[in-house]
Structure formats: C-alpha cells, structure tokens
Amino acid sequence: MHGLLCLLCSLPRPNLPDVRLTDVNDAQRTAVTTTEGPLLILAGAGTGKTRVITTRVAYLIARGVDPSHILAVTFTNKAAGEMRDRLGRMVKPDSAKKVTMSTFHALCLRILRNGIDRLGYKNNFSIYDEGDQLGLIKKIIARTASTDEKLDAHVAKAAISKGKNNSWAPAVGDDTLLGSVYARYREQLKAANAVDFDDLLLLAVQLLDQHADVQQRWRERFRYLMVDEFQDTNRLQLELVRLLADERQNVAVVGDDDQAIYGWRGAEVSNILEFEHHFRNPTVVKLEENYRSTNAILGTANSLIRNNPRRRTKRLWSATRHGDKVRLIESPNDREEAQFVAEEIQRRHSDRGEPWENFAVLFRMNAQSRTLEENVRRLRVPYRIVGGKSFFDRREVKDLIAYMNVLVNPGADANLLRIINTPARGISRASVESALHWSVCKQCSLWEALQSNELLGSFSNRTAGSVKAFVELIDEYQTKIVEPLSDPAEIITELIAETEYGAELRRNCKSADEAGARELNVGEMLHDLAQFTRRSNKGLPGFLDEIALDHEREEEKQEDIENKRGVTLITMHAAKGLEFRHVYLVGLEEGILPHDRSKTEGTIDEERRLLYVGITRARQTLTLSYCRDRMKFGSASSCTPSSFIAELAPEFVDRVDLRKLLSTPVAESTGKSRFAQMRAAIGG
C-alpha cells in the first residue's frame, strides 16, 4: 500500500505545467519556492529578478494555485508586459492570461471603476493628465490670489501631489493661498467627476480602508501578491499592499535598497528597510550573483555603496569574468571631456565594428548633455537623447483624446474647454470665459451651463446658435457611441470628418511635412482605438483608461531608446533598469554628483545610490570622468573631484590624465586597421 501511495505521489499532476528550476541559482530557487507568508527578495542590480518573479508565478500555478488569484504589481506597463510575455512561454496561454500583472495605477483604476461611487463619484470618471491639472490650478490661482499674492502653478501642483501621496487633506481653516488652492482644486476635480494620477492611489486606498466589503472582495480575488521595485514605493502604495493582503500575508516583494533613487518624488526607502515592521517574520532572500557586469565593475560598485550607513548588506559578484579595470579620467575641462568621449566612441565603432547602440553616456543633469551633443553631431555619430516630447503631448493627439473624453464624461471641464472651439466654430474666448464664470457661480459643470437657456440668453444670437450647434453635435455622438455593437473607431472618424478637424489641422501647420506628420498621428490614434476594440469589450471608456495609464514618464523614456538608433545620451535617473556594453559616466564632481542641493537637504546617501545605479549599468567597460574646469553661466569655473571618488576601491580603478592619454602613440596594428578601413571606404 505504501509503495502504491509513493507511486501515485510521483506521477505528474494533470494540466499542471512543469516548471524547470535547473536554470536558477540556489538563492533564486529559494525565492521561487517560498510560496507562503511574507517574503523579501533583495535583488541586486543584474541578478535576474524578472526571471525570479515570472518563475515564481509559474511555480505557484504548477502547485495548483488558481492563476486568477495571483497579482504582480510593478511601475510601468513595459515591465508588466515583459513579465507577461515571459510567463506566456512558461505556462499555458490561458493560465498566463488569468494572472493580473499591472502597474499600481492600473490596479487602482480597476478597483475604482468597480466602487468609486461609494466615495461620491460616478463610475465614468475622467483622468486628468498633467496639462489638465496645470490648467485647472492656474485658473484657481487666478481667481483666488489677491493682487499682491503670487503662486507658481507648477509649485502648487507639486505641493498638492506631495500632500495626496502623504494622505494630507487640506487643513480646515488654512487660509494661505496654497491651502485655498488645494481645497478648491479637490472640490472642482470632484465636481467635474474627474481624478488625477495621485487620486487613483489615494482614492483606492480610501475605498478599501473605509468599505470592508470592498476590501474583502479584492482580498478574495488576490491571494498571492508580488510587488516589483519595492524600494520605489511610497506610503500610499505600501498601504495599498497592506490592505490587499489577507491574514495569510502571502506578500512577496522584490527590490534593492541600494537602487532607491526616487526619494525626491515621494518614494520611501524605509518601506524596504523596515519590511519586517509591516509584515511580520518574513523570509529574506538575497540575490547577489550578477549576470550583467564584470567583477571589476561590481567591485567598484560594492566599494562605493558600502559607505551608505543605512542599508541591507549585500555584495554583488560574477562567476564568469574579472574584466578590464574601471577608468577614471581627469579632463582639463568639459569641452575636452565631451570631445574625448565622442571621439573614442567613434574610434571603437570604426576599429572594432561595435554597434552604436552598445554605447551610453550618463550624466547627472540634463544641462550636461549640450556639449556632448555638439561633439557627436560634429563627428556625425548617430545618437538618441532619452525623454523627448511624448506622443501623448502632441497637440492633435490631445485634441482627439479630449473629444473622446467629452463623449464619455462631458462633465470634466478641462476636456470641454480644449475642444469647444477646436476647430473654430464661432464661440469666442470671451464667451467661453463668461460661460465658465456662470458655471462657477451656479456650481455646475460647464457642460450643464452650455445647455442653460439663462446663459444662452446672455449671448448674441450668433454665439447662442454656435453653442447650441456644438451641444447638439456632442449629444448626437454621445448617443452613437453607446449604441449596442457600435464601432468607436468609425464613430470618432466620422466626428473628425464632420467637424473638419483635418482641414483646421493643416491650416495651422507651417509646412506640408508637419501637416503630414500630424495627420499620421491622428491616424495612429484611430488605428490604436480600432485595435483595442477588437481585443476588448470595454469600448471607448476602456481605451481612454489604457492610454491614460500608458502616459507614464519613465516608460516613455525607455520606449525612446527602443524606437531610435545610435549612442544613448541619458541621465542616471532615466538609465535605471537599462544596461549597455560600454558606459561613460561624466561630470563626477562636487556640486554635480553629489549635487549641491543634497548637502543642505541631507540626501547624500541617495546621491551615492544614484552613482551606484550608473556604475551598474555597464556590462563590459566603464569610464568615469571629471573636469578641472567646467563652463557655468558662460565662464569657466574650477571644479573639485567628487568626494565619492575617494570611496572607490583602488584595486579596480585605473586613474588616467586625459592629456597624457591623448599624447600616447596609436598602436601600429590599430593604425593599419584604420588605414584599411579608409581604403575600403574609397574603394581602394
């Protein structure tokens, strides 16, 4: 009997995938197979955390966990998509689709769409983007500030964002201008049945915290929680995870406190440093074997980061190679620094056939890129600067999105204001301002105001006629969009044609090329809408949710890299999560890195982590550089080498004076190689 039981236990379970654990190391295996209770996975740079997350999800499914009970949360749709693609190659496609892999904002949006009415909103709320927020804040400041008061809208927006992420409500009796603006901003957003990105987190936490039945419903849905990049979470995101975790506390978080570089935007490294305070008696697994960089690069990184007093001890190492030493180059000035970097990249490309995409130049501040850009352009080296203008920030795309939003939620004033006279339809700016003022006095939305006979009676017959025609147009297409089996892409295309938006777009372009590019963007949006409606039954509201969530800055930066060719010029903040074969890290000087501001704000540790992130982007070679003089405000200023340089282990670093390096004769073999390439180029 015992033998029969053993035989039955050894048989594979039906319909369960076979998860291979042969290609993971011992620490990774522990992380994958620890399935119950709190788990903290300390994943150093380049240690295979994405593999661990996806293998762990596959392992849970193999053990019989319902895939629909698994939630994996990260910070960008790109990261969530990569995890989903990997999982799809490890388990059956149907199982992979049932796992929820999303960003924090997408998860919160999903929670709110199914319960925000409990908080006094309608479920068809709109999401305000940055432009909408600033527009509303500027109007509130203009109406609230006295003649001797000044408040920058960007400063107010940042303060409001900080307040929301710390769950600070406007203080009762706060009669400061900022306090008044914050209170009115919240009131007017809610009156427009709209939320901003910070509200997605704030309101989801409120909903789960204040309504036990809603919380229980989501806890029953998600029984295994995984959070990626946990060091980047803020207070609200931590609270969201705590509210979703049931009594079993099956919460696995993956992160690296040494890569916590977003304190300036609200991330709290204490979330990972004090994980045990939030989730009792967790299993802690350290991933330290690095699959990206050489030991010379890792040794340099380790020697730097161990100087941070408050961190979880870990040491990166590679089982495969030691590699060339890290070069530390002293340049006379920033012009010669940039010239050297550009010329060496060009030479390496020519001599060794290295693709341009293997090279990256990292810097602390965007202003440093100008001299670098001038030099790569002079040498005709193709390059890409990360973080160009977003597709979603283009005028025609914002117009189209505003039209779609008005059809779904006409009560959101920002979208209505954008399209009310786009294309021009005889409604003047003064008439719009009058309507807006009337709506504020009557405490109603602009859309309701435009339908009021009292307001229309105050306009000229011509203006009143134009307003009525606009309202009828929107009413007509609102009806069309909600009809059963309607095709949103066809309806929006029809709306664009009827309003003659294309003709207006062309009239406002300076050239035929610009007009063609803008029309192409409109076409791309319509194509995306058609594609969405083929794969989803959520219609136009679902499409608007998706593009709102896609508009995430860090993700756009990474997409810029994928969609362009050439040497990458990138800030260290934007480079997090990326890797390059050859990295040049420039401007390693006091006042730049560490930044001057960090000394007064007490954030030197975060600056050290930022340099650590920059160093660990390099796979094969790393060049650090600093200048004796740098141009500042049009004149040369003397520089002091960064205090971080003294923390780098000397056994991994070669110190080089640029003038001496440039005076070293070129090797004969290199000279012959270049001569041969020149002959080939001219057909000799």
Side-chain angles (χ1 to χ4, degrees):
M1 184 69 178
H2 176 73
L4 179 60
L5 285 172
C6 290
L7 177 62
L8 289 171
C9 290
S10 67
L11 292 173
R13 284 172 289 177
N15 301 319
L16 295 179
D18 178 28
V19 179
R20 291 175 53 203
L21 297 180
T22 54
D23 56 352
V24 295
N25 62 40
D26 290 344
Q28 290 173 332
R29 186 178 292 106
T30 302
V32 166
T33 58
T34 303
T35 60
E36 305 304 307
L39 172 65
L40 171 59
I41 304 169
L42 294 168
T47 56
K49 71 179 178 66
T50 305
R51 178 195 297 172
V52 168
I53 294 171
T54 49
T55 306
R56 189 173 186 276
V57 173
Y59 184 78
L60 285 168
I61 295 170
R63 286 178 56 86
V65 173
D66 184 337
S68 66
H69 289 163
I70 301 171
L71 168 67
V73 188
T74 186
F75 279 83
T76 67
N77 285 324
K78 177 182 170 60
E82 284 178 358
M83 286 194 287
R84 195 177 294 111
D85 290 343
R86 284 199 188 197
L87 183 64
R89 295 192 290 271
M90 300 175 75
V91 303
K92 292 180 178 178
D94 287 347
S95 294
K97 286 178 184 175
K98 290 177 184 175
V99 176
T100 299
M101 289 183 162
S102 76
T103 64
F104 274 101
H105 287 107
L107 172 65
C108 291
L109 176 61
R110 185 173 175 180
I111 291 169
L112 291 173
R113 285 290 183 210
N114 289 282
I116 199 172
D117 54 306
R118 301 283 194 96
L119 301 177
Y121 292 78
K122 290 184 284 186
N123 287 333
N124 69 334
F125 61 87
S126 294
I127 303 171
Y128 272 27
D129 65 15
E130 188 174 357
D132 298 330
Q133 289 176 263
L134 284 169
L136 177 56
I137 289 169
K138 285 175 183 175
K139 284 171 190 152
I140 293 171
I141 291 172
R143 292 174 191 149
T144 307
S146 59
T147 52
D148 60 339
E149 288 183 305
K150 298 291 181 187
L151 178 61
D152 182 85
H154 290 86
V155 172
K157 178 181 169 295
I160 290 169
S161 178
K162 184 177 181 180
K164 289 186 176 185
N165 280 293
N166 284 283
S167 300
W168 299 335
V172 176
D174 182 357
D175 57 359
T176 65
L177 179 55
L178 180 58
S180 300
V181 169
Y182 186 7
R184 294 188 184 188
Y185 174 74
R186 293 218 321 180
E187 290 166 4
Q188 291 192 28
L189 260 188
K190 191 168 184 178
N193 195 37
V195 301
D196 58 28
F197 265 83
D198 296 317
D199 285 329
L200 292 177
L201 285 166
L202 180 65
L203 296 176
V205 166
Q206 282 182 12
L207 180 62
L208 294 171
D209 188 43
Q210 296 170 10
H211 298 275
D213 59 322
V214 176
Q215 184 190 58
Q216 188 57 32
R217 186 166 74 244
W218 287 103
R219 280 184 167 185
E220 288 174 3
R221 173 65 193 274
F222 299 130
R223 300 181 186 180
Y224 290 85
L225 280 63
M226 297 186 69
V227 184
D228 189 19
E229 303 285 8
F230 193 68
Q231 78 281 348
D232 294 337
T233 54
N234 62 25
R235 185 178 303 180
L236 276 178
Q237 287 158 337
L238 172 63
E239 188 60 23
L240 178 72
V241 175
R242 289 177 60 184
L243 288 166
L244 288 173
D246 61 19
E247 65 280 355
R248 289 168 296 189
Q249 299 282 284
N250 290 331
V251 176
V253 305
V254 187
D256 181 9
D257 52 299
D258 290 336
Q259 296 186 73
I261 59 173
Y262 293 122
W264 51 275
R265 69 179 190 192
E268 299 196 16
V269 69
S270 60
N271 289 354
I272 195 168
L273 292 175
E274 300 168 8
F275 184 73
E276 292 88 344
H277 296 176
H278 308 297
F279 301 95
R280 296 292 178 191
N281 302 316
T283 301
V284 180
V285 179
K286 293 182 183 180
L287 306 184
E288 298 173 297
E289 183 176 358
N290 178 282
Y291 297 94
R292 175 189 298 161
S293 308
T294 66
N295 274 311
I297 293 168
L298 298 177
T300 303
N302 289 331
S303 65
L304 171 75
I305 202 62
R306 70 182 175 213
N307 290 280
N308 266 7
R310 193 163 175 254
R311 62 183 288 263
R312 291 183 179 267
T313 306
K314 64 189 84 69
R315 185 185 68 86
L316 298 180
W317 58 276
S318 170
T320 56
R321 55 210 166 119
H322 186 76
D324 295 337
K325 283 189 175 185
V326 172
R327 288 187 305 171
L328 176 62
I329 295 181
E330 180 186 283
S331 302
N333 53 61
D334 54 337
R335 295 179 303 286
E336 292 193 46
E337 176 189 58
Q339 182 178 337
F340 162 72
V341 169
E343 289 179 353
E344 184 171 272
I345 289 172
Q346 185 194 50
R347 187 167 66 251
R348 281 181 163 181
H349 170 75
S350 300
D351 290 352
R352 305 175 192 174
E354 290 261 16
W356 298 117
E357 292 73 35
N358 282 1
F359 300 94
V361 187
L362 277 58
F363 36 85
R364 174 64 177 83
M365 299 177 292
N366 274 310
Q368 292 171 259
S369 69
R370 186 181 61 81
T371 311
L372 291 162
E373 195 173 355
E374 286 174 358
N375 277 276
V376 292
R377 286 169 69 92
R378 175 178 58 81
L379 296 171
R380 298 190 178 180
V381 170
Y383 69 98
R384 49 199 180 180
I385 290 188
V386 176
K389 190 170 186 179
S390 162
F391 175 78
F392 295 104
D393 285 338
R394 290 165 184 156
R395 184 181 76 226
E396 64 279 7
V397 174
K398 287 179 77 73
D399 287 346
L400 202 53
I401 291 172
Y403 265 106
M404 295 179 194
N405 269 304
V406 166
L407 297 186
V408 171
N409 176 22
D413 288 356
N415 293 308
L416 200 61
L417 286 166
R418 185 172 187 93
I419 65 161
I420 192 169
N421 205 40
T422 303
R425 49 175 59 92
I427 306 173
S428 68
R429 183 184 295 274
S431 299
V432 173
E433 283 294 326
S434 177
L436 199 55
H437 179 71
W438 193 91
S439 72
V440 171
C441 293
K442 299 292 183 180
Q443 295 187 324
C444 67
S445 69
L446 179 61
W447 176 246
E448 292 170 308
L450 295 176
Q451 298 172 80
S452 164
N453 288 329
E454 182 185 341
L455 174 66
L456 292 175
S458 68
F459 291 151
S460 68
N461 289 338
R462 183 176 178 181
T463 298
S466 297
V467 170
K468 283 180 180 177
F470 173 68
V471 169
E472 288 168 4
L473 174 78
I474 298 301
D475 270 339
E476 177 189 350
Y477 281 90
Q478 278 182 316
T479 303
K480 288 181 179 181
I481 211 77
V482 297
E483 286 175 352
L485 304 178
S486 64
D487 184 331
E490 283 186 9
I491 291 167
I492 300 300
T493 302
E494 185 183 337
L495 174 60
I496 291 169
E498 183 169 342
T499 59
E500 298 182 349
Y501 178 79
E504 173 92 346
L505 193 64
R506 287 189 292 275
R507 276 196 297 273
N508 289 322
C509 291
K510 295 176 182 175
S511 67
D513 285 347
E514 183 190 351
R518 291 190 181 279
E519 287 179 324
L520 200 62
N521 291 335
V522 172
E524 191 173 328
M525 278 291 295
L526 293 171
H527 173 74
D528 287 349
L529 174 57
Q531 292 289 98
F532 176 84
T533 53
R534 289 191 192 103
R535 60 181 164 83
S536 171
N537 60 1
K538 294 181 179 178
L540 188 59
F543 177 70
L544 290 168
D545 285 348
E546 183 171 278
I547 61 176
L549 293 170
D550 276 346
H551 196 185
E552 296 187 40
R553 298 296 173 191
E554 295 309 312
E555 184 163 352
E556 287 159 18
K557 289 173 182 174
Q558 295 197 15
E559 285 174 355
D560 280 348
I561 289 178
E562 292 174 358
N563 295 334
K564 299 174 186 173
R565 312 306 295 170
V567 175
T568 301
L569 308 183
I570 187 170
T571 66
M572 279 178 270
H573 278 103
K576 184 173 175 288
L578 304 175
E579 58 182 70
F580 305 92
R581 188 178 178 88
H582 306 291
V583 167
Y584 295 82
L585 204 158
V586 301
L588 206 52
E589 298 139 29
E590 284 294 295
I592 294 180
L593 187 66
H595 196 280
D596 271 334
R597 196 170 54 242
S598 66
K599 297 170 186 176
T600 56
E601 295 176 351
T603 54
I604 290 284
D605 288 359
E606 184 158 320
E607 291 289 292
R608 188 179 284 109
R609 291 194 292 265
L610 185 58
L611 177 55
Y612 175 84
V613 166
I615 289 171
T616 54
R617 299 312 93 199
R619 293 204 304 265
Q620 185 172 315
T621 71
L622 173 64
T623 301
L624 309 175
S625 77
Y626 64 93
C627 301
R628 290 196 292 270
D629 292 304
R630 185 173 292 276
M631 291 295 288
K632 293 179 183 176
F633 310 111
S635 60
S637 299
S638 61
C639 302
T640 304
S642 169
S643 52
F644 293 150
I645 290 175
E647 300 174 0
L648 306 180
E651 63 266 31
F652 300 116
V653 178
D654 264 340
R655 289 178 172 261
V656 180
D657 184 288
L658 182 59
R659 287 280 167 87
K660 291 180 182 177
L661 180 67
L662 295 178
S663 64
T664 303
V666 175
E668 185 181 351
S669 59
T670 303
K672 287 179 179 176
S673 169
R674 286 188 207 156
F675 183 64
Q677 287 174 341
M678 290 169 64
R679 284 183 60 187
I682 60 175

